Amino acid sequence: MKSAFRASMAWLHRWAGIILSALMYFIFVTGTTGFFHFEMDRWMEPERPLAMHWTDDGFPSADTHHYTAYTNQGELTLSTRTLIELGTERLQQQAHPESVWWGIILPTARNGNFWVEWQPPRGPNGERTEREAEYLDFHNGEPLWIQPRDTGGGMALYRLHWRLHYLPDTAAYWIVGLCTLLMLVGLVSGVIIHRRIFREFFTLRLFRRARSWLDLHNLSSVLALPFQIMIVYSGLVFFAVTFMEPIVTARYGDEGTRTFYKEAYPEAEAEAKTGERADSVAIVPLLEEAQAETGQRIEQMYLLHPGDQNAQLSFYLPEPSPGHYEGKPHKLLYRASTGERLDGGEQQYGGAASVEKTLIALHEGLFADWPLRWLYILCSLLGIIMIATGALYFVKKRTASRPDEYAKVERFYAAVILGLPLAIAVYFFSNRLIPVDLAGRADWEMHSLFLAWLVSGVFAWLRPRTAIWRELLVLNALGWGLLPVVNALTTDRHLGISLAVGDWVLAGFDLTALALAASFALMAGCGYRQISASIRVGHATAIREA
């Protein structure tokens, strides 16, 4: 009885660790996609026009700063003034007359397009409605407004790493928080237990079975250790209020969370809507005034309570910096009916809130330009490798002595480590193959990801253990390699077009898919050679013994 209980506890302990490591791998992989979720959105909405281009010529007037759009009749040059006037006219025609706000977004290096968006009023039962957006394209030189297909885009993929999709939000937050806490403990304790950490950093013994996985684990851990500690610790900060909710409740009461947020993150509230109609002044002169005051190019402007006497026009500055949390304006406010400059726009946070917001911005890479964003990706990939090689070392070391016991563990890890990237490729395939007019197609994109992951698990369970890894690598190479091909067959946003016009966001997605396919093919080739070598050694040993 006692031995059976200990055995069951050992089984529970082993599988709890295995599942937690798999969850952390899932969190790291899906979280890594967030650093380019805007770029993924563009690829997953192929109806959007090709990226506009502009010259970086400081802060000229709205009449002299020009954007170049690509049309079916060649290039078309438009001024900032022209774009804003087209956007304002479209909002007046198309947006709900009682919209909560309107938005006009100029092209940036990441989104590449000009678009307008608006928030319709709440539904008859008080439910919040989805925002609506339209993108400006030109057909035969004339403005054409486009609503892209319904898709979860890169943001849905990014949200997976803290919402876990099918779980209630609170349960997902606690699960992700527990995994993140254990990851932080693992990082700190890993540094302490490796007494020869710098010596091991320069040690890499390839093709040495379990030892090779340990060397790769140590190497990937040390290379990006500061980044991994930052990303894990700041991830915990994300859920600080969720984890400390009893403290908030004790101070503010059961319904006091909103009051807590108002006190912790104070911001000037907009004036209430009066119900009296009033036209707005021209936006462009206020835009030029705001750019002259801040010395920064402004690319986003929002109008709260459009058409009302108290309508408020907000010009948002580019990506935040730590100074924005210490009183530096992150937006400039004007009364839209008169053009009067309004106070506010500064986030007067206390010390703790400023530190928290800075850590969250670091976690999301909000300060990152292109080179730093790619550094984020590289460090995240090293984190993924660290988790995967740690899991493989755990399995390989024990499989030699207890092959039957750990065969299931190896199949599970194969489905997790290689099944997830294959499922993400299927997610992108579904974006191109699911009918555009299908109701709930964004949901089915995500369902396809998890269904593909489930099929990968069944595949790993049924195939011979010696072939699982190589075959899943081959499937990943085929999946990611065919993605640009399917894109070319189903849209006109393929490499032949995007490279020709220099749309590097769209081209970069397809090129990254091909690079991933090549990486998986290389790993499959190396694995095949290793298996062949092992078989030859086994045959030679058998002949000698005979």
Side-chain angles (χ1 to χ4, degrees):
M1 178 69 178
K2 186 176 180 180
S3 61
F5 177 75
R6 287 178 63 85
S8 63
M9 289 299 99
W11 178 91
L12 179 63
H13 174 80
R14 178 170 63 249
W15 277 99
I18 291 166
I19 291 172
L20 282 172
S21 66
L23 270 172
M24 206 64 226
Y25 178 82
F26 174 83
I27 291 167
F28 251 74
V29 170
T30 53
T32 299
T33 64
F35 299 127
F36 282 125
H37 70 85
F38 287 126
E39 292 75 9
M40 292 179 185
D41 286 345
R42 275 207 62 213
W43 189 89
M44 296 182 76
E45 294 176 337
E47 295 81 8
R48 289 168 61 171
L50 293 165
M52 291 184 178
H53 291 85
W54 62 94
T55 55
D56 190 9
D57 46 5
F59 308 101
S61 73
D63 295 303
T64 59
H65 185 62
H66 293 95
Y67 295 87
T68 301
Y70 295 93
T71 73
N72 57 345
Q73 294 185 340
E75 296 182 358
L76 181 65
T77 301
L78 305 108
S79 67
T80 301
R81 181 184 297 274
T82 301
L83 288 177
I84 291 177
E85 289 175 350
L86 286 171
T88 304
E89 180 183 353
R90 184 61 178 177
L91 285 166
Q92 291 169 344
Q93 294 172 351
Q94 188 70 11
H96 193 285
E98 297 298 325
S99 293
V100 179
W101 50 258
W102 293 351
I104 297 176
I105 294 86
L106 293 167
T108 67
R110 296 190 68 187
N111 69 55
N113 299 134
F114 175 79
W115 82 85
V116 296
E117 57 183 8
W118 62 95
Q119 177 64 58
R122 291 184 178 271
N125 298 322
E127 70 276 11
R128 184 179 176 85
T129 54
E130 294 290 331
R131 76 169 183 90
E132 298 185 38
E134 291 185 347
Y135 293 82
L136 178 62
D137 196 4
F138 292 89
H139 184 73
N140 295 327
E142 296 298 321
L144 177 66
W145 291 93
I146 295 171
Q147 282 192 327
R149 65 186 64 189
D150 181 27
T151 176
M155 179 55 76
L157 199 60
Y158 175 46
R159 287 186 180 129
L160 286 177
H161 90 285
W162 82 85
R163 298 182 70 174
L164 304 183
H165 195 64
Y166 293 112
L167 294 182
D169 284 349
T170 302
Y173 297 162
W174 278 97
I175 292 171
V176 171
L178 176 62
C179 291
T180 306
L181 178 61
L182 293 175
M183 178 79 170
L184 182 61
V185 171
L187 287 170
V188 175
S189 59
V191 172
I192 295 171
I193 64 174
H194 286 86
R195 291 175 296 177
R196 298 189 297 271
I197 188 170
F198 292 106
R199 176 181 170 185
E200 291 174 347
F201 171 72
F202 293 101
T203 304
L204 180 58
R205 289 158 287 195
L206 296 176
F207 311 120
R208 294 281 297 274
R209 301 198 178 190
R211 187 68 217 189
S212 297
W213 296 119
L214 180 60
D215 289 345
L216 282 169
H217 176 74
N218 292 334
L219 180 64
S220 56
S221 301
V222 176
L223 271 174
L225 182 61
F227 172 84
Q228 290 163 15
I229 291 177
M230 179 277 292
I231 211 75
V232 173
Y233 180 76
S234 58
L236 282 174
V237 171
F238 251 105
F239 302 120
V241 176
T242 300
F243 299 153
M244 304 297 179
E245 190 169 353
I247 299 175
V248 176
T249 302
R251 174 65 178 82
Y252 294 91
D254 293 338
E255 304 298 328
T257 304
R258 181 173 295 181
T259 304
F260 164 77
Y261 275 109
K262 285 183 178 180
E263 291 187 8
Y265 313 109
E267 190 168 356
E269 294 188 10
E271 295 178 344
K273 189 175 181 179
T274 64
E276 299 180 13
R277 304 297 297 178
D279 293 332
S280 298
V281 300
I283 293 177
V284 171
L286 299 181
L287 170 66
E288 293 180 332
E289 179 183 323
Q291 290 187 149
E293 179 181 336
T294 62
Q296 298 186 65
R297 178 172 294 135
I298 292 172
E299 297 150 345
Q300 298 183 48
M301 52 215 77
Y302 285 87
L303 182 64
L304 182 65
H305 309 319
D308 189 79
Q309 180 69 36
N310 279 348
Q312 178 179 284
L313 182 61
S314 303
F315 294 104
Y316 281 82
L317 301 184
E319 300 289 5
S321 69
H324 292 160
Y325 311 128
E326 299 172 356
K328 182 180 177 181
H330 72 109
K331 61 182 176 182
L332 276 66
L333 307 179
Y334 293 85
R335 191 183 303 278
S337 59
T338 63
E340 173 192 357
R341 179 79 159 82
L342 300 176
D343 294 329
E346 301 87 4
Q347 293 172 318
Q348 298 290 351
Y349 295 163
S354 296
V355 170
E356 183 214 23
K357 288 295 184 181
T358 302
L359 284 171
I360 289 175
L362 283 171
H363 185 91
E364 295 182 329
L366 297 183
F367 308 148
D369 54 12
W370 282 110
L372 186 55
R373 195 165 295 277
W374 276 108
L375 183 60
Y376 264 75
I377 291 290
L378 175 61
C379 292
S380 296
L381 289 175
L382 288 170
I384 293 168
I385 293 170
M386 176 191 69
I387 297 170
T389 52
L392 287 170
Y393 174 69
F394 171 83
V395 171
K396 295 298 183 182
K397 187 175 181 181
R398 288 159 177 78
T399 301
S401 57
R402 290 175 283 177
D404 295 335
E405 186 177 351
Y406 280 89
K408 294 178 182 178
V409 179
E410 184 172 1
R411 292 178 185 276
F412 173 78
Y413 273 137
V416 170
I417 294 172
L418 294 180
L420 179 58
L422 181 60
I424 292 174
V426 171
Y427 175 71
F428 292 125
F429 274 113
S430 68
N431 175 263
R432 291 297 190 258
L433 300 178
I434 293 176
V436 174
D437 56 354
L438 179 70
R441 73 181 307 279
D443 294 330
W444 277 106
E445 287 177 352
M446 192 54 67
H447 295 331
S448 69
L449 184 152
F450 285 99
L451 287 171
W453 202 9
L454 177 62
V455 171
S456 298
V458 174
F459 179 87
W461 186 264
L462 296 177
R463 295 296 298 153
R465 189 164 61 89
T466 55
I468 297 170
W469 295 94
R470 181 171 59 86
E471 291 177 354
L472 282 174
L473 284 167
V474 170
L475 288 174
N476 270 283
L478 288 173
W480 287 98
L482 289 173
L483 194 55
V485 177
V486 172
N487 179 41
L489 293 175
T490 55
T491 74
D492 59 354
R493 294 292 182 261
H494 50 80
L495 282 171
I497 299 293
S498 57
L499 287 175
V501 300
D503 192 334
W504 289 106
V505 169
L506 291 181
F509 186 99
D510 286 337
L511 292 173
T512 300
L514 292 175
L516 286 171
S519 300
F520 284 120
L522 180 62
M523 288 188 284
C526 291
Y528 177 75
R529 286 194 294 273
Q530 281 294 103
I531 292 171
S532 300
S534 299
I535 292 173
R536 287 195 298 271
V537 170
H539 286 168
T541 303
I543 292 172
R544 285 197 302 271
E545 291 176 353

